[in-house]
Structures are given as structure tokens and as C-alpha cells.
Amino acid sequence: MSELLYKEIYPVDKDDFVRAGEASAKIKRTLKQLGVDADKIRRTSVVSYECEINLIIHSLGGQMCLEVTDEEIIVSSSDKGPGIKDISLAMKEGWSTASDSVREMGFGAGMGLPNMKRHCDEFILNSAPGAGTEIVMKIKI
Amino acid sequence: MKIRQIQEILDATCLCGDNFDGDCFAGCGCDLMSDVLAFPKEHMCLLTGLTNPQVIRTSEMLDVMCVVFVRGKRPPEETLELAQELGITVFSTKYTLYEACGKLYAHGLPSKNEV
Ligand SMILES: Nc1ncnc2c1ncn2[C@@H]1O[C@H](COP(=O)(O)OP(=O)(O)OP(=O)(O)O)[C@@H](O)[C@H]1O
Ligand SMILES: [Mg+2]
């Protein structure tokens, strides 16, 4: 059994662009304090940041969670909806439903989910329209 | 390439930060944050036409050494405040994204996809 060394939950609000990235910044600082290897911190930062931005721009709000064990870093998210209709389409590079105002900020390239999958060792996405989206991403230490 | 050298080559104005002796290993020019996040490298210099605070947040995530705003753009105050807080050196250059990237590349700063 792996031993849980750290756990923290970060609420993320819909359309909260002012605080966008703060949860991921906290996650990054925590991993630094725990002495995690720089390359793993960078990979975790990428996946948590893409995930956090998605919660802000696509979801009705939700939360992120960081868990660190002696074996892996787990970043997960859950939101209140609206869920993803076609997951395989959402996972495709270049597919996005982002609004023009979000695109003007530099997001909405349809690269986030494929980026998240590429940067972690295990990627699980569960979503249903009407329910919400849950993502679990694991990076081995 | 030293940050000081980047400033000279781009004839850039420093908007905040003073890490002029910092060393950049690679450059990335883009207006899409996901492009930087796709294949990030250590010690990057980011050139962009976007000036919102998310550019600095993205830079924080990737430990970007310095950010260059092209086409003489001046970012809003929130952007500079965040950069200041995080100790990221920020420049503004009159060159376009294409010109600025071309100049740094010609002086030997490789693309992030080459290192
Ligand atoms: N938490 C979520 N809730 C609802 N829909 C989502 C959620 N996350 C992603 N999506 C849907 O999946 C699509 C693809 O997401 P992805 O992160 O790959 O791209 P993007 O956010 O549109 O652009 P980018 O990440 O490049 O800025 C989104 O456009 C959106 O339709
Ligand atoms: Mg996204």
C-alpha cells in the first residue's frame, strides 16, 4: 500500500479569470516544498493548469484535488456540469467549443485534454452530459 | 543566451524584473497558451502578442525565464504586477512576433522543439 503524504482540495469557480491558475500555482509550490523532482513538477503543473483552465472556461464550477503518496502525484478534478457529450471528439487535438473571448486570451486551441493525457502516466476521464466531468491524472514519482 | 543579450538584440524596454544574467536555453513564439504548454522545455524565453495575466501564469507553470511582448505592446497593470510578484523579467519590443523570433533564432537561440 502506498502512503498518503499530502492532500489538499482547491475550489475553482466558473469564469473566474482573475484567479485562474492560482490552484495550480499552489500545487506547484507544494510539490517544490515536498522536494519533488523538477521534471515531474513541470509535468504536474502543465496537467493541473490545463485542467483548472478547463474548469473555468467550460464547466459550471468545481474543484481540483492534489494527493501525493510515496509512489505518485495524483491531480484530480470534478465539476458540476455540463459534462462532455462526445469524449473521443473532445480528446482530439484542435477540437474546441471555446468562445471568442476565451480565444482572445490565448486559450481554445483544443489542445488541453491531449496535453494532459500526454504529460501524465495515467489519465482517466469520466463525463456525461447533465452530470459533470471527473478527471484523474497520475504521475509516478 | 543571456537575458541581457535578448534585450539588446530586440532593442527592448524592460517593463519589470532584473534577472539580466539569467540564461535562456530555448525560445517559443506564440499566441496560443496551449502551444507553450504542449512541449515545454527548461529556461524558455516566451515571445507573444498576448498581454493578459494568463501569459504570466502560464510562464509561472513552466518556469519561463523571460517574457517578451511584441509590436510595442504594453500589458495591463495586472499583468506586470503578477510578473513582479513572481520575479519574471518582462520586455516590450517594437518588432513583430515574426521579426523578434527571427532575430533571436539567427543569433543562436534554438526553438523549444530543437533542444
Ligand atoms: N470540464 C469540462 N466540462 C465541460 N466540457 C469540457 C470540460 N473540459 C473540456 N471540455 C470540452 O472539451 C473540449 C476540448 O478541451 P481542451 O482542453 O482539449 O480544449 P480547449 O479547452 O477548448 O482549448 P485549449 O485547452 O487548447 O485552450 C472543450 O472545448 C470543451 O468543449
Ligand atoms: Mg483546455
Side-chain angles (χ1 to χ4, degrees), chain A residues 28-29 49 104 106 115 119, chain B residues 33 38 50 54 58 60 63:
Chain A
K28 185 175 181 192
R29 266 169 238 147
Y49 186 60
E104 273 163 27
N115 267 355
H119 280 101
Chain B
M33 288 304 108
L50 291 173
Q54 287 315 309
T58 306
E60 178 191 15
D63 298 313

Side-chain angles (χ1 to χ4, degrees), chain A residues 17-18 20-22 24-25 28-29 32 42 45-46 49-50 53 104-107 109 111-112 115 118-119, chain B residues 31-35 37-43 50 52-55 57-63 85-86:
Chain A
F17 292 104
V18 177
E22 280 187 11
S24 301
K28 185 175 181 192
R29 266 169 238 147
K32 255 190 194 157
R42 195 170 19 253
S45 300
V46 169
Y49 186 60
E50 290 278 20
I53 299 288
E104 273 163 27
M105 293 176 67
F107 297 101
M111 298 276 288
N115 267 355
R118 177 168 49 231
H119 280 101
Chain B
D31 284 347
L32 282 173
M33 288 304 108
S34 279
D35 271 351
L37 288 157
F39 297 99
K41 294 287 159 58
E42 277 180 298
H43 287 239
L50 291 173
N52 63 67
Q54 287 315 309
V55 173
R57 269 293 175 220
T58 306
S59 300
E60 178 191 15
M61 290 303 135
L62 305 173
D63 298 313
E85 186 190 317
L86 298 171

Side-chain angles (χ1 to χ4, degrees), chain A residues 32-64:
Chain A
K32 255 190 194 157
Q33 277 160 13
L34 291 172
V36 174
D37 173 68
D39 174 60
K40 295 195 169 147
I41 294 183
R42 195 170 19 253
R43 283 167 59 203
T44 309
S45 300
V46 169
V47 304
S48 79
Y49 186 60
E50 290 278 20
C51 188
E52 183 178 356
I53 299 288
N54 276 358
L55 285 183
I56 292 165
I57 66 183
H58 303 301
S59 89
L60 300 169
Q63 63 176 40
M64 308 260 304

Side-chain angles (χ1 to χ4, degrees), chain B residues 21-38:
Chain B
D21 286 321
D23 222 343
C24 289
F25 301 163
C28 175
C30 70
D31 284 347
L32 282 173
M33 288 304 108
S34 279
D35 271 351
V36 208
L37 288 157

Side-chain angles (χ1 to χ4, degrees), chain B residues 3 7 12-20 56 65-69 74-92:
Chain B
I3 291 183
Q7 181 179 20
T13 310
C14 182
L15 303 180
C16 88
D18 55 5
N19 182 20
F20 300 118
I56 305 297
M65 301 283 289
C66 88
V67 174
V68 181
F69 296 118
R74 302 295 296 226
E77 212 42 55
E78 312 95 83
T79 299
L80 288 182
E81 274 165 23
L82 187 61
Q84 199 109 45
E85 186 190 317
L86 298 171
I88 297 174
T89 302
V90 177
F91 295 116
S92 173

